[in-house]
Amino acid sequence: MKKFLLAIFLLLVAGCSDGEGKQHTKFTEQQAVPFELVHYEEKIAPIYESLVPHIAYASTPSQFESLQGRFKVADFSIDLDNYMAVFIVTYSNGCGVFVDGVYDHDGYLGVQLIDSNGKSCDVEGVPHTFVLQVEKNQYKKVQLFNGEIIKSSVDVE
């Protein structure tokens, strides 16, 4: 019985810890990468409804055309010689979500989303599709963060 109570006590102590030992990605101004929001819609590509949130990238014309079709976004162009396109689909509460910044952290391109902090937001999710233009670089992965949590990640090929 004493072992059982000790086990329960240890579980409670472990469950109540503040998680200081966890690694969190904190972006700095030195890691910031210039970006431009080139397309935004309050809709979601049907193919990604069950996979939200999702991030993808295009650095060649064929990848770009493929993602434009998959994300069902309007026809627009990006200078793919100097830039890559980053496609993002996500949901938010009725107050919305926005792209806070784009960062280079250890060879990974991190896109930071931030939820708007409205006082009276609808509970029902609002779909969002973003397309960003980011200068080309040799990234290993493209990752989507909401706060300090990775929501989606894709290897750069």
Side-chain angles (χ1 to χ4, degrees), residues 37-49 52-56 67-74 76 86-92 96-99 113 126-132 144:
L37 178 64
V38 293
H39 184 78
Y40 171 76
E41 291 183 53
E42 280 194 5
K43 71 166 194 129
I44 202 156
I47 193 169
Y48 293 107
E49 279 186 27
V52 173
H54 187 77
I55 190 166
L67 288 178
Q68 272 187 309
R70 286 173 53 197
F71 281 74
K72 305 267 191 245
V73 294
F76 61 93
V86 178
F87 289 74
I88 302 166
V89 292
T90 189
Y91 279 110
S92 74
V97 65
F98 62 94
V99 177
L113 293 180
V126 176
H128 304 277
T129 298
F130 298 93
V131 182
L132 309 177
L144 178 63

mmCIF file of all heavy atoms in Angstrom, residues 37-49 52-56 67-74 76 86-92 96-99 113 126-132 144:
data_model
loop_
_atom_site.group_PDB
_atom_site.id
_atom_site.type_symbol
_atom_site.label_atom_id
_atom_site.label_comp_id
_atom_site.label_asym_id
_atom_site.label_seq_id
_atom_site.Cartn_x
_atom_site.Cartn_y
_atom_site.Cartn_z
ATOM 1 N N LEU A 37 3.635 38.905 -47.617
ATOM 2 C CA LEU A 37 2.383 38.164 -47.771
ATOM 3 C C LEU A 37 1.843 38.521 -49.153
ATOM 4 O O LEU A 37 1.455 39.651 -49.397
ATOM 5 C CB LEU A 37 1.388 38.553 -46.678
ATOM 6 C CG LEU A 37 0.018 37.898 -46.743
ATOM 7 C CD1 LEU A 37 0.127 36.399 -46.541
ATOM 8 C CD2 LEU A 37 -0.905 38.504 -45.705
ATOM 9 N N VAL A 38 1.871 37.553 -50.075
ATOM 10 C CA VAL A 38 1.461 37.836 -51.452
ATOM 11 C C VAL A 38 0.039 37.380 -51.755
ATOM 12 O O VAL A 38 -0.528 37.768 -52.762
ATOM 13 C CB VAL A 38 2.447 37.219 -52.478
ATOM 14 C CG1 VAL A 38 3.796 37.903 -52.402
ATOM 15 C CG2 VAL A 38 2.580 35.728 -52.305
ATOM 16 N N HIS A 39 -0.526 36.562 -50.879
ATOM 17 C CA HIS A 39 -1.898 36.106 -51.105
ATOM 18 C C HIS A 39 -2.511 35.673 -49.774
ATOM 19 O O HIS A 39 -1.858 35.026 -48.968
ATOM 20 C CB HIS A 39 -1.906 34.923 -52.084
ATOM 21 C CG HIS A 39 -3.282 34.457 -52.428
ATOM 22 N ND1 HIS A 39 -4.083 35.122 -53.321
ATOM 23 C CD2 HIS A 39 -4.016 33.414 -51.984
ATOM 24 C CE1 HIS A 39 -5.236 34.497 -53.414
ATOM 25 N NE2 HIS A 39 -5.222 33.461 -52.610
ATOM 26 N N TYR A 40 -3.775 36.044 -49.561
ATOM 27 C CA TYR A 40 -4.502 35.629 -48.358
ATOM 28 C C TYR A 40 -5.968 35.448 -48.705
ATOM 29 O O TYR A 40 -6.549 36.270 -49.411
ATOM 30 C CB TYR A 40 -4.366 36.658 -47.240
ATOM 31 C CG TYR A 40 -5.286 36.356 -46.078
ATOM 32 C CD1 TYR A 40 -4.971 35.342 -45.196
ATOM 33 C CD2 TYR A 40 -6.479 37.036 -45.915
ATOM 34 C CE1 TYR A 40 -5.820 35.028 -44.146
ATOM 35 C CE2 TYR A 40 -7.334 36.729 -44.873
ATOM 36 C CZ TYR A 40 -6.999 35.723 -43.992
ATOM 37 O OH TYR A 40 -7.849 35.393 -42.973
ATOM 38 N N GLU A 41 -6.554 34.370 -48.219
ATOM 39 C CA GLU A 41 -7.989 34.137 -48.377
ATOM 40 C C GLU A 41 -8.531 33.505 -47.107
ATOM 41 O O GLU A 41 -7.829 32.734 -46.458
ATOM 42 C CB GLU A 41 -8.268 33.173 -49.540
ATOM 43 C CG GLU A 41 -7.979 33.730 -50.906
ATOM 44 C CD GLU A 41 -8.342 32.742 -51.997
ATOM 45 O OE1 GLU A 41 -9.489 32.253 -52.010
ATOM 46 O OE2 GLU A 41 -7.471 32.460 -52.829
ATOM 47 N N GLU A 42 -9.779 33.829 -46.778
ATOM 48 C CA GLU A 42 -10.445 33.146 -45.680
ATOM 49 C C GLU A 42 -11.184 31.945 -46.246
ATOM 50 O O GLU A 42 -12.403 31.928 -46.357
ATOM 51 C CB GLU A 42 -11.383 34.081 -44.917
ATOM 52 C CG GLU A 42 -10.657 34.950 -43.945
ATOM 53 C CD GLU A 42 -11.577 35.637 -42.964
ATOM 54 O OE1 GLU A 42 -12.802 35.392 -42.955
ATOM 55 O OE2 GLU A 42 -11.056 36.452 -42.192
ATOM 56 N N LYS A 43 -10.425 30.994 -46.656
ATOM 57 C CA LYS A 43 -10.941 29.724 -47.162
ATOM 58 C C LYS A 43 -9.843 28.697 -46.964
ATOM 59 O O LYS A 43 -8.725 29.033 -46.615
ATOM 60 C CB LYS A 43 -11.320 29.808 -48.641
ATOM 61 C CG LYS A 43 -10.112 29.903 -49.547
ATOM 62 C CD LYS A 43 -10.477 29.638 -50.980
ATOM 63 C CE LYS A 43 -9.201 29.409 -51.760
ATOM 64 N NZ LYS A 43 -9.172 28.251 -52.544
ATOM 65 N N ILE A 44 -10.187 27.471 -47.200
ATOM 66 C CA ILE A 44 -9.197 26.417 -47.036
ATOM 67 C C ILE A 44 -9.242 25.499 -48.245
ATOM 68 O O ILE A 44 -10.311 25.243 -48.790
ATOM 69 C CB ILE A 44 -9.418 25.653 -45.715
ATOM 70 C CG1 ILE A 44 -8.159 24.975 -45.295
ATOM 71 C CG2 ILE A 44 -10.580 24.713 -45.804
ATOM 72 C CD1 ILE A 44 -8.110 24.712 -43.809
ATOM 73 N N ALA A 45 -8.095 25.054 -48.688
ATOM 74 C CA ALA A 45 -8.054 24.126 -49.811
ATOM 75 C C ALA A 45 -8.721 22.821 -49.393
ATOM 76 O O ALA A 45 -8.390 22.262 -48.354
ATOM 77 C CB ALA A 45 -6.616 23.873 -50.235
ATOM 78 N N PRO A 46 -9.673 22.321 -50.154
ATOM 79 C CA PRO A 46 -10.424 21.120 -49.752
ATOM 80 C C PRO A 46 -9.538 19.916 -49.434
ATOM 81 O O PRO A 46 -9.840 19.152 -48.541
ATOM 82 C CB PRO A 46 -11.303 20.834 -50.967
ATOM 83 C CG PRO A 46 -11.383 22.105 -51.708
ATOM 84 C CD PRO A 46 -10.117 22.852 -51.425
ATOM 85 N N ILE A 47 -8.423 19.779 -50.134
ATOM 86 C CA ILE A 47 -7.553 18.631 -49.923
ATOM 87 C C ILE A 47 -6.940 18.638 -48.514
ATOM 88 O O ILE A 47 -6.554 17.611 -47.988
ATOM 89 C CB ILE A 47 -6.456 18.567 -51.004
ATOM 90 C CG1 ILE A 47 -5.756 17.214 -50.975
ATOM 91 C CG2 ILE A 47 -5.456 19.684 -50.845
ATOM 92 C CD1 ILE A 47 -4.863 16.962 -52.161
ATOM 93 N N TYR A 48 -6.850 19.811 -47.885
ATOM 94 C CA TYR A 48 -6.188 19.921 -46.589
ATOM 95 C C TYR A 48 -7.142 20.009 -45.404
ATOM 96 O O TYR A 48 -6.717 20.194 -44.279
ATOM 97 C CB TYR A 48 -5.252 21.128 -46.582
ATOM 98 C CG TYR A 48 -4.094 20.934 -47.515
ATOM 99 C CD1 TYR A 48 -4.021 21.617 -48.709
ATOM 100 C CD2 TYR A 48 -3.088 20.026 -47.218
ATOM 101 C CE1 TYR A 48 -2.964 21.418 -49.581
ATOM 102 C CE2 TYR A 48 -2.037 19.813 -48.083
ATOM 103 C CZ TYR A 48 -1.980 20.521 -49.256
ATOM 104 O OH TYR A 48 -0.939 20.311 -50.120
ATOM 105 N N GLU A 49 -8.446 19.882 -45.623
ATOM 106 C CA GLU A 49 -9.395 20.042 -44.524
ATOM 107 C C GLU A 49 -9.097 19.128 -43.348
ATOM 108 O O GLU A 49 -9.235 19.521 -42.208
ATOM 109 C CB GLU A 49 -10.823 19.819 -45.017
ATOM 110 C CG GLU A 49 -11.375 21.039 -45.691
ATOM 111 C CD GLU A 49 -12.830 20.884 -46.048
ATOM 112 O OE1 GLU A 49 -13.540 20.121 -45.375
ATOM 113 O OE2 GLU A 49 -13.250 21.542 -47.002
ATOM 114 N N VAL A 52 -5.245 20.096 -41.435
ATOM 115 C CA VAL A 52 -4.921 21.434 -40.961
ATOM 116 C C VAL A 52 -4.328 21.360 -39.572
ATOM 117 O O VAL A 52 -4.770 20.566 -38.767
ATOM 118 C CB VAL A 52 -6.208 22.294 -40.978
ATOM 119 C CG1 VAL A 52 -5.988 23.636 -40.339
ATOM 120 C CG2 VAL A 52 -6.695 22.448 -42.398
ATOM 121 N N PRO A 53 -3.334 22.188 -39.242
ATOM 122 C CA PRO A 53 -2.632 23.145 -40.095
ATOM 123 C C PRO A 53 -1.582 22.446 -40.970
ATOM 124 O O PRO A 53 -1.108 21.369 -40.637
ATOM 125 C CB PRO A 53 -1.978 24.085 -39.099
ATOM 126 C CG PRO A 53 -1.795 23.283 -37.872
ATOM 127 C CD PRO A 53 -2.897 22.268 -37.853
ATOM 128 N N HIS A 54 -1.231 23.091 -42.070
ATOM 129 C CA HIS A 54 -0.302 22.489 -43.016
ATOM 130 C C HIS A 54 0.563 23.576 -43.646
ATOM 131 O O HIS A 54 0.100 24.686 -43.863
ATOM 132 C CB HIS A 54 -1.079 21.745 -44.105
ATOM 133 C CG HIS A 54 -0.208 20.967 -45.027
ATOM 134 N ND1 HIS A 54 0.341 19.757 -44.682
ATOM 135 C CD2 HIS A 54 0.229 21.235 -46.279
ATOM 136 C CE1 HIS A 54 1.079 19.307 -45.686
ATOM 137 N NE2 HIS A 54 1.020 20.187 -46.665
ATOM 138 N N ILE A 55 1.821 23.234 -43.923
ATOM 139 C CA ILE A 55 2.737 24.161 -44.591
ATOM 140 C C ILE A 55 3.386 23.421 -45.747
ATOM 141 O O ILE A 55 3.638 22.208 -45.665
ATOM 142 C CB ILE A 55 3.789 24.721 -43.601
ATOM 143 C CG1 ILE A 55 4.574 25.872 -44.236
ATOM 144 C CG2 ILE A 55 4.720 23.628 -43.104
ATOM 145 C CD1 ILE A 55 5.377 26.688 -43.228
ATOM 146 N N ALA A 56 3.640 24.127 -46.832
ATOM 147 C CA ALA A 56 4.323 23.571 -47.998
ATOM 148 C C ALA A 56 5.125 24.701 -48.633
ATOM 149 O O ALA A 56 4.901 25.874 -48.341
ATOM 150 C CB ALA A 56 3.322 22.992 -48.992
ATOM 151 N N LEU A 67 1.232 23.485 -56.339
ATOM 152 C CA LEU A 67 0.651 23.952 -55.077
ATOM 153 C C LEU A 67 -0.492 24.938 -55.306
ATOM 154 O O LEU A 67 -1.465 24.946 -54.545
ATOM 155 C CB LEU A 67 1.724 24.556 -54.177
ATOM 156 C CG LEU A 67 2.692 23.551 -53.562
ATOM 157 C CD1 LEU A 67 3.746 24.261 -52.733
ATOM 158 C CD2 LEU A 67 1.968 22.513 -52.719
ATOM 159 N N GLN A 68 -0.395 25.767 -56.333
ATOM 160 C CA GLN A 68 -1.512 26.667 -56.646
ATOM 161 C C GLN A 68 -2.774 25.852 -56.930
ATOM 162 O O GLN A 68 -3.857 26.215 -56.475
ATOM 163 C CB GLN A 68 -1.192 27.542 -57.856
ATOM 164 C CG GLN A 68 -0.482 28.814 -57.515
ATOM 165 C CD GLN A 68 -0.346 29.720 -58.719
ATOM 166 O OE1 GLN A 68 0.101 29.307 -59.780
ATOM 167 N NE2 GLN A 68 -0.726 30.966 -58.544
ATOM 168 N N GLY A 69 -2.619 24.756 -57.660
ATOM 169 C CA GLY A 69 -3.768 23.900 -57.945
ATOM 170 C C GLY A 69 -4.276 23.177 -56.720
ATOM 171 O O GLY A 69 -5.481 23.100 -56.482
ATOM 172 N N ARG A 70 -3.368 22.636 -55.906
ATOM 173 C CA ARG A 70 -3.776 21.897 -54.707
ATOM 174 C C ARG A 70 -4.420 22.811 -53.669
ATOM 175 O O ARG A 70 -5.346 22.419 -52.977
ATOM 176 C CB ARG A 70 -2.573 21.176 -54.102
ATOM 177 C CG ARG A 70 -2.165 19.964 -54.918
ATOM 178 C CD ARG A 70 -0.896 19.319 -54.458
ATOM 179 N NE ARG A 70 -0.881 18.978 -53.063
ATOM 180 C CZ ARG A 70 0.249 18.700 -52.396
ATOM 181 N NH1 ARG A 70 1.405 18.738 -53.021
ATOM 182 N NH2 ARG A 70 0.209 18.379 -51.131
ATOM 183 N N PHE A 71 -3.917 24.040 -53.538
ATOM 184 C CA PHE A 71 -4.458 24.971 -52.556
ATOM 185 C C PHE A 71 -5.626 25.776 -53.115
ATOM 186 O O PHE A 71 -6.245 26.542 -52.402
ATOM 187 C CB PHE A 71 -3.368 25.930 -52.069
ATOM 188 C CG PHE A 71 -2.453 25.336 -51.040
ATOM 189 C CD1 PHE A 71 -1.494 24.404 -51.387
ATOM 190 C CD2 PHE A 71 -2.548 25.708 -49.717
ATOM 191 C CE1 PHE A 71 -0.645 23.863 -50.446
ATOM 192 C CE2 PHE A 71 -1.705 25.173 -48.763
ATOM 193 C CZ PHE A 71 -0.751 24.233 -49.134
ATOM 194 N N LYS A 72 -5.903 25.615 -54.408
ATOM 195 C CA LYS A 72 -7.009 26.315 -55.066
ATOM 196 C C LYS A 72 -6.938 27.824 -54.829
ATOM 197 O O LYS A 72 -7.903 28.459 -54.400
ATOM 198 C CB LYS A 72 -8.359 25.796 -54.576
ATOM 199 C CG LYS A 72 -8.530 24.300 -54.712
ATOM 200 C CD LYS A 72 -9.196 23.957 -55.999
ATOM 201 C CE LYS A 72 -9.599 22.497 -55.992
ATOM 202 N NZ LYS A 72 -8.935 21.697 -56.954
ATOM 203 N N VAL A 73 -5.762 28.408 -55.102
ATOM 204 C CA VAL A 73 -5.582 29.853 -54.934
ATOM 205 C C VAL A 73 -5.560 30.523 -56.293
ATOM 206 O O VAL A 73 -5.249 29.903 -57.310
ATOM 207 C CB VAL A 73 -4.297 30.189 -54.138
ATOM 208 C CG1 VAL A 73 -4.402 29.701 -52.715
ATOM 209 C CG2 VAL A 73 -3.062 29.640 -54.813
ATOM 210 N N ALA A 74 -5.879 31.818 -56.295
ATOM 211 C CA ALA A 74 -5.941 32.598 -57.525
ATOM 212 C C ALA A 74 -4.596 32.577 -58.246
ATOM 213 O O ALA A 74 -3.550 32.328 -57.644
ATOM 214 C CB ALA A 74 -6.335 34.033 -57.191
ATOM 215 N N PHE A 76 -1.459 34.025 -59.591
ATOM 216 C CA PHE A 76 -0.523 35.120 -59.370
ATOM 217 C C PHE A 76 0.873 34.549 -59.571
ATOM 218 O O PHE A 76 1.049 33.342 -59.689
ATOM 219 C CB PHE A 76 -0.686 35.747 -57.973
ATOM 220 C CG PHE A 76 -0.438 34.776 -56.855
ATOM 221 C CD1 PHE A 76 0.816 34.654 -56.290
ATOM 222 C CD2 PHE A 76 -1.468 33.980 -56.364
ATOM 223 C CE1 PHE A 76 1.040 33.743 -55.264
ATOM 224 C CE2 PHE A 76 -1.255 33.079 -55.342
ATOM 225 C CZ PHE A 76 0.012 32.963 -54.784
ATOM 226 N N VAL A 86 5.833 30.060 -49.826
ATOM 227 C CA VAL A 86 5.458 29.241 -48.675
ATOM 228 C C VAL A 86 3.942 29.304 -48.557
ATOM 229 O O VAL A 86 3.369 30.379 -48.384
ATOM 230 C CB VAL A 86 6.138 29.742 -47.381
ATOM 231 C CG1 VAL A 86 5.707 28.905 -46.197
ATOM 232 C CG2 VAL A 86 7.656 29.722 -47.525
ATOM 233 N N PHE A 87 3.301 28.145 -48.681
ATOM 234 C CA PHE A 87 1.846 28.023 -48.616
ATOM 235 C C PHE A 87 1.467 27.516 -47.229
ATOM 236 O O PHE A 87 2.047 26.546 -46.738
ATOM 237 C CB PHE A 87 1.350 27.021 -49.660
ATOM 238 C CG PHE A 87 1.453 27.494 -51.079
ATOM 239 C CD1 PHE A 87 2.670 27.560 -51.730
ATOM 240 C CD2 PHE A 87 0.307 27.863 -51.775
ATOM 241 C CE1 PHE A 87 2.757 27.982 -53.044
ATOM 242 C CE2 PHE A 87 0.386 28.289 -53.100
ATOM 243 C CZ PHE A 87 1.618 28.351 -53.730
ATOM 244 N N ILE A 88 0.475 28.155 -46.603
ATOM 245 C CA ILE A 88 0.029 27.785 -45.255
ATOM 246 C C ILE A 88 -1.491 27.683 -45.258
ATOM 247 O O ILE A 88 -2.167 28.578 -45.770
ATOM 248 C CB ILE A 88 0.443 28.835 -44.215
ATOM 249 C CG1 ILE A 88 1.961 29.018 -44.208
ATOM 250 C CG2 ILE A 88 -0.073 28.477 -42.826
ATOM 251 C CD1 ILE A 88 2.413 30.254 -43.466
ATOM 252 N N VAL A 89 -2.026 26.618 -44.674
ATOM 253 C CA VAL A 89 -3.470 26.531 -44.413
ATOM 254 C C VAL A 89 -3.653 26.251 -42.930
ATOM 255 O O VAL A 89 -2.908 25.486 -42.325
ATOM 256 C CB VAL A 89 -4.167 25.448 -45.260
ATOM 257 C CG1 VAL A 89 -4.177 25.835 -46.719
ATOM 258 C CG2 VAL A 89 -3.553 24.100 -45.082
ATOM 259 N N THR A 90 -4.630 26.908 -42.334
ATOM 260 C CA THR A 90 -4.881 26.739 -40.905
ATOM 261 C C THR A 90 -6.299 27.199 -40.578
ATOM 262 O O THR A 90 -6.982 27.789 -41.413
ATOM 263 C CB THR A 90 -3.845 27.527 -40.069
ATOM 264 O OG1 THR A 90 -3.975 27.173 -38.701
ATOM 265 C CG2 THR A 90 -3.995 29.020 -40.232
ATOM 266 N N TYR A 91 -6.726 26.911 -39.376
ATOM 267 C CA TYR A 91 -7.981 27.422 -38.823
ATOM 268 C C TYR A 91 -7.654 28.306 -37.633
ATOM 269 O O TYR A 91 -6.611 28.157 -37.001
ATOM 270 C CB TYR A 91 -8.866 26.284 -38.316
ATOM 271 C CG TYR A 91 -9.657 25.559 -39.370
ATOM 272 C CD1 TYR A 91 -9.337 24.259 -39.723
ATOM 273 C CD2 TYR A 91 -10.735 26.167 -39.994
ATOM 274 C CE1 TYR A 91 -10.065 23.584 -40.683
ATOM 275 C CE2 TYR A 91 -11.473 25.501 -40.958
ATOM 276 C CZ TYR A 91 -11.137 24.206 -41.294
ATOM 277 O OH TYR A 91 -11.854 23.554 -42.239
ATOM 278 N N SER A 92 -8.562 29.208 -37.314
ATOM 279 C CA SER A 92 -8.437 29.995 -36.088
ATOM 280 C C SER A 92 -9.834 30.191 -35.522
ATOM 281 O O SER A 92 -10.826 29.873 -36.171
ATOM 282 C CB SER A 92 -7.807 31.353 -36.376
ATOM 283 O OG SER A 92 -8.736 32.190 -37.028
ATOM 284 N N GLY A 96 -9.336 35.378 -35.545
ATOM 285 C CA GLY A 96 -8.344 35.297 -36.612
ATOM 286 C C GLY A 96 -6.949 34.927 -36.150
ATOM 287 O O GLY A 96 -6.668 34.739 -34.971
ATOM 288 N N VAL A 97 -6.076 34.828 -37.134
ATOM 289 C CA VAL A 97 -4.682 34.487 -36.937
ATOM 290 C C VAL A 97 -3.884 35.273 -37.971
ATOM 291 O O VAL A 97 -4.409 35.627 -39.028
ATOM 292 C CB VAL A 97 -4.455 32.955 -37.093
ATOM 293 C CG1 VAL A 97 -4.735 32.499 -38.505
ATOM 294 C CG2 VAL A 97 -3.073 32.530 -36.662
ATOM 295 N N PHE A 98 -2.638 35.601 -37.653
ATOM 296 C CA PHE A 98 -1.815 36.307 -38.624
ATOM 297 C C PHE A 98 -0.387 35.784 -38.565
ATOM 298 O O PHE A 98 0.010 35.141 -37.596
ATOM 299 C CB PHE A 98 -1.867 37.827 -38.401
ATOM 300 C CG PHE A 98 -1.340 38.279 -37.072
ATOM 301 C CD1 PHE A 98 -0.018 38.675 -36.933
ATOM 302 C CD2 PHE A 98 -2.166 38.335 -35.961
ATOM 303 C CE1 PHE A 98 0.472 39.104 -35.711
ATOM 304 C CE2 PHE A 98 -1.690 38.763 -34.736
ATOM 305 C CZ PHE A 98 -0.359 39.145 -34.610
ATOM 306 N N VAL A 99 0.374 36.069 -39.623
ATOM 307 C CA VAL A 99 1.778 35.668 -39.684
ATOM 308 C C VAL A 99 2.575 36.702 -38.918
ATOM 309 O O VAL A 99 2.616 37.883 -39.299
ATOM 310 C CB VAL A 99 2.277 35.554 -41.144
ATOM 311 C CG1 VAL A 99 3.754 35.201 -41.169
ATOM 312 C CG2 VAL A 99 1.464 34.522 -41.904
ATOM 313 N N LEU A 113 2.981 31.812 -36.573
ATOM 314 C CA LEU A 113 1.610 32.316 -36.562
ATOM 315 C C LEU A 113 1.268 32.764 -35.149
ATOM 316 O O LEU A 113 1.739 32.182 -34.171
ATOM 317 C CB LEU A 113 0.620 31.223 -36.972
ATOM 318 C CG LEU A 113 0.681 30.715 -38.399
ATOM 319 C CD1 LEU A 113 -0.379 29.645 -38.613
ATOM 320 C CD2 LEU A 113 0.488 31.835 -39.394
ATOM 321 N N VAL A 126 -12.423 29.488 -38.297
ATOM 322 C CA VAL A 126 -12.384 30.238 -39.542
ATOM 323 C C VAL A 126 -11.187 29.729 -40.332
ATOM 324 O O VAL A 126 -10.079 29.688 -39.812
ATOM 325 C CB VAL A 126 -12.231 31.749 -39.276
ATOM 326 C CG1 VAL A 126 -12.083 32.525 -40.571
ATOM 327 C CG2 VAL A 126 -13.390 32.269 -38.453
ATOM 328 N N PRO A 127 -11.387 29.327 -41.601
ATOM 329 C CA PRO A 127 -10.262 28.824 -42.394
ATOM 330 C C PRO A 127 -9.410 29.964 -42.956
ATOM 331 O O PRO A 127 -9.928 31.039 -43.259
ATOM 332 C CB PRO A 127 -10.950 28.053 -43.512
ATOM 333 C CG PRO A 127 -12.272 28.718 -43.675
ATOM 334 C CD PRO A 127 -12.654 29.222 -42.303
ATOM 335 N N HIS A 128 -8.115 29.719 -43.081
ATOM 336 C CA HIS A 128 -7.190 30.710 -43.621
ATOM 337 C C HIS A 128 -6.221 30.024 -44.578
ATOM 338 O O HIS A 128 -5.711 28.943 -44.284
ATOM 339 C CB HIS A 128 -6.355 31.360 -42.514
ATOM 340 C CG HIS A 128 -7.155 31.983 -41.435
ATOM 341 N ND1 HIS A 128 -7.684 33.252 -41.535
ATOM 342 C CD2 HIS A 128 -7.540 31.519 -40.235
ATOM 343 C CE1 HIS A 128 -8.345 33.539 -40.423
ATOM 344 N NE2 HIS A 128 -8.278 32.497 -39.619
ATOM 345 N N THR A 129 -5.937 30.683 -45.688
ATOM 346 C CA THR A 129 -4.897 30.250 -46.610
ATOM 347 C C THR A 129 -3.976 31.440 -46.841
ATOM 348 O O THR A 129 -4.424 32.512 -47.247
ATOM 349 C CB THR A 129 -5.489 29.781 -47.955
ATOM 350 O OG1 THR A 129 -6.338 28.667 -47.716
ATOM 351 C CG2 THR A 129 -4.396 29.371 -48.918
ATOM 352 N N PHE A 130 -2.683 31.261 -46.537
ATOM 353 C CA PHE A 130 -1.668 32.290 -46.719
ATOM 354 C C PHE A 130 -0.659 31.809 -47.755
ATOM 355 O O PHE A 130 -0.322 30.624 -47.781
ATOM 356 C CB PHE A 130 -0.867 32.526 -45.432
ATOM 357 C CG PHE A 130 -1.654 33.009 -44.256
ATOM 358 C CD1 PHE A 130 -2.160 32.104 -43.333
ATOM 359 C CD2 PHE A 130 -1.859 34.353 -44.041
ATOM 360 C CE1 PHE A 130 -2.864 32.533 -42.218
ATOM 361 C CE2 PHE A 130 -2.563 34.794 -42.927
ATOM 362 C CZ PHE A 130 -3.059 33.886 -42.016
ATOM 363 N N VAL A 131 -0.143 32.734 -48.558
ATOM 364 C CA VAL A 131 1.013 32.449 -49.409
ATOM 365 C C VAL A 131 2.027 33.560 -49.150
ATOM 366 O O VAL A 131 1.718 34.746 -49.288
ATOM 367 C CB VAL A 131 0.656 32.393 -50.914
ATOM 368 C CG1 VAL A 131 1.902 32.035 -51.722
ATOM 369 C CG2 VAL A 131 -0.454 31.390 -51.167
ATOM 370 N N LEU A 132 3.229 33.147 -48.750
ATOM 371 C CA LEU A 132 4.303 34.088 -48.453
ATOM 372 C C LEU A 132 5.390 33.992 -49.507
ATOM 373 O O LEU A 132 5.641 32.919 -50.061
ATOM 374 C CB LEU A 132 4.934 33.781 -47.095
ATOM 375 C CG LEU A 132 4.009 33.634 -45.906
ATOM 376 C CD1 LEU A 132 4.809 33.261 -44.670
ATOM 377 C CD2 LEU A 132 3.221 34.901 -45.668
ATOM 378 N N LEU A 144 5.957 25.313 -39.480
ATOM 379 C CA LEU A 144 4.908 26.232 -39.075
ATOM 380 C C LEU A 144 4.769 26.167 -37.565
ATOM 381 O O LEU A 144 4.600 25.090 -37.000
ATOM 382 C CB LEU A 144 3.591 25.842 -39.750
ATOM 383 C CG LEU A 144 2.361 26.659 -39.401
ATOM 384 C CD1 LEU A 144 2.541 28.110 -39.834
ATOM 385 C CD2 LEU A 144 1.134 26.059 -40.056
#
